[in-house]
Amino acid sequence: MYKRKSRKLDEPREMEAKVGIIKRADGSAMFKIGNTIAMAAVYGPRNLYPKFMQNPEKGILRVNYNMFSFSVSERIRPGPSRRSKEISLVSENALLSCLNLEEFPNSVIDVYIEILQADAGTRCAGICAASMALADAGIPMRDLVSAISVGKVGDAIVVDLDKEEEDYEGGSTDMPIAMMPRNGKISLLQMDGNMSKEDIKKALELGRNTCNKIYELQKRTLKEKYMVEVENE
Ligand code: UDP
């Protein structure tokens, strides 16, 4: 059976979160899990230009995911790639579930996700940071979105694969998921590899439990910032 050196199979890497890290932005956050660090900045809702793109019935959400050139040891070429466009799109869809864009006619909410350091699970860390940044921007939301990668390494079902596990010689499957923890609705589910139906069920269960832990950290971090601000007023 596959074994981890320093954590249990159902244990995510150590997590850390912060909000309000980019003063210029309307909302911002950092989410760190192990050696993966994501930052997110939110601008808006603001008027959407060019004007012909405006819709008087509802606004749009625009998500841009990017990895810094120095986020992995082999330099990443700056600028959009097929991978970054795909991750921007799936992150946008994952976050859309928590917003009601009809509240923002003719407007855009811009979300920028930057990966400072990557050791797998960057799309999930990016979504966690982005949903906190949306809340920090004061945008009304149905719930936060929490995300984690689950999957299989060798013969073991695991949560939060790192890069070494993703590249495991005995074979691995990576299944990133995102959800709104309060109602349990899943807004991102991808899979790179193969797993049986039974394994998927077990992995989803692990994912749900870990998303609940992430959710607590996200809420606590937001509350801490605003409690301090209220106390200082
Ligand atoms: N990665 C890399 N170079 C790249 C893209 C990715 O080294 O150009 C690494 C990085 O550590 C990333 C991991 O591969 O986190 C897994 O990438 P994947 O596309 O599966 O997305 P992620 O798990 O980061 O959401």
Side-chain angles (χ1 to χ4, degrees):
M1 185 86 169
Y2 171 76
K3 268 204 175 140
R4 281 174 158 166
K5 282 170 228 140
S6 54
R7 57 188 167 121
K8 294 189 198 125
L9 298 172
D10 62 354
E11 192 182 335
R13 292 171 285 179
E14 203 175 310
M15 295 182 270
E16 201 185 311
K18 273 191 192 141
V19 282
I21 54 163
I22 300 161
K23 299 290 175 239
R24 171 104 182 53
D26 295 316
S28 58
M30 182 281 297
F31 188 86
K32 178 173 187 286
I33 184 155
N35 288 325
T36 291
I37 308 174
M39 286 200 315
V42 168
Y43 289 84
R46 57 187 176 185
N47 284 339
L48 173 62
Y49 294 106
K51 220 170 172 174
F52 73 85
M53 283 177 71
Q54 291 185 0
N55 179 349
E57 316 251 291
K58 67 192 277 200
I60 64 165
L61 174 69
R62 224 164 24 189
V63 175
N64 190 71
Y65 163 101
N66 181 57
M67 268 169 87
F68 278 171
S69 294
F70 56 78
S71 59
V72 286
S73 45
E74 266 181 42
R75 177 179 177 269
I76 305 247
R77 230 174 113 200
S81 62
R82 274 176 69 127
R83 176 178 174 276
S84 70
K85 281 186 203 156
E86 178 225 313
I87 298 181
S88 299
L89 181 71
V90 297
S91 304
E92 197 171 286
N93 287 337
L95 294 164
L96 266 177
S97 62
C98 71
L99 300 171
N100 179 11
L101 291 174
E102 280 160 18
E103 288 180 54
F104 316 113
N106 302 319
S107 307
V108 57
I109 300 171
D110 277 307
V111 178
Y112 300 94
I113 297 172
E114 297 288 344
I115 307 301
L116 270 78
Q117 192 170 283
D119 183 19
T122 62
R123 76 195 64 201
C124 294
I127 291 168
C128 291
S131 86
M132 292 168 74
L134 285 165
D136 185 43
I139 294 172
M141 295 162 77
R142 293 191 181 99
D143 196 4
L144 292 165
V145 180
S146 310
I148 192 73
S149 171
V150 288
K152 201 166 177 178
V153 181
D155 51 1
I157 304 292
V158 299
V159 71
D160 189 26
L161 289 77
D162 61 22
K163 180 72 176 139
E164 200 183 318
E165 291 181 321
E166 274 200 10
D167 298 340
Y168 184 65
E169 269 185 21
S172 81
T173 297
D174 174 34
M175 188 169 86
I177 60 170
M179 68 175 66
M180 286 194 289
R182 213 158 41 188
N183 65 12
K185 281 195 180 159
I186 292 179
S187 58
L188 169 90
L189 199 153
Q190 297 184 283
M191 187 157 79
D192 187 5
N194 288 309
M195 273 200 290
S196 68
K197 202 167 147 188
E198 280 312 305
D199 285 350
I200 291 177
K201 275 191 192 160
K202 282 186 212 153
L204 272 177
E205 195 52 39
L206 272 189
R208 276 191 196 284
N209 291 342
T210 309
C211 278
N212 286 335
K213 285 183 195 153
I214 294 173
Y215 188 49
E216 291 309 315
L217 173 62
Q218 289 173 305
K219 283 193 297 188
R220 197 166 64 236
T221 309
L222 282 157
K223 269 187 201 153
E224 272 165 15
K225 176 184 170 193
Y226 288 99
M227 297 245 270
V228 170
E229 280 184 9
V230 170
E231 277 166 14
N232 289 344
E233 264 165 25

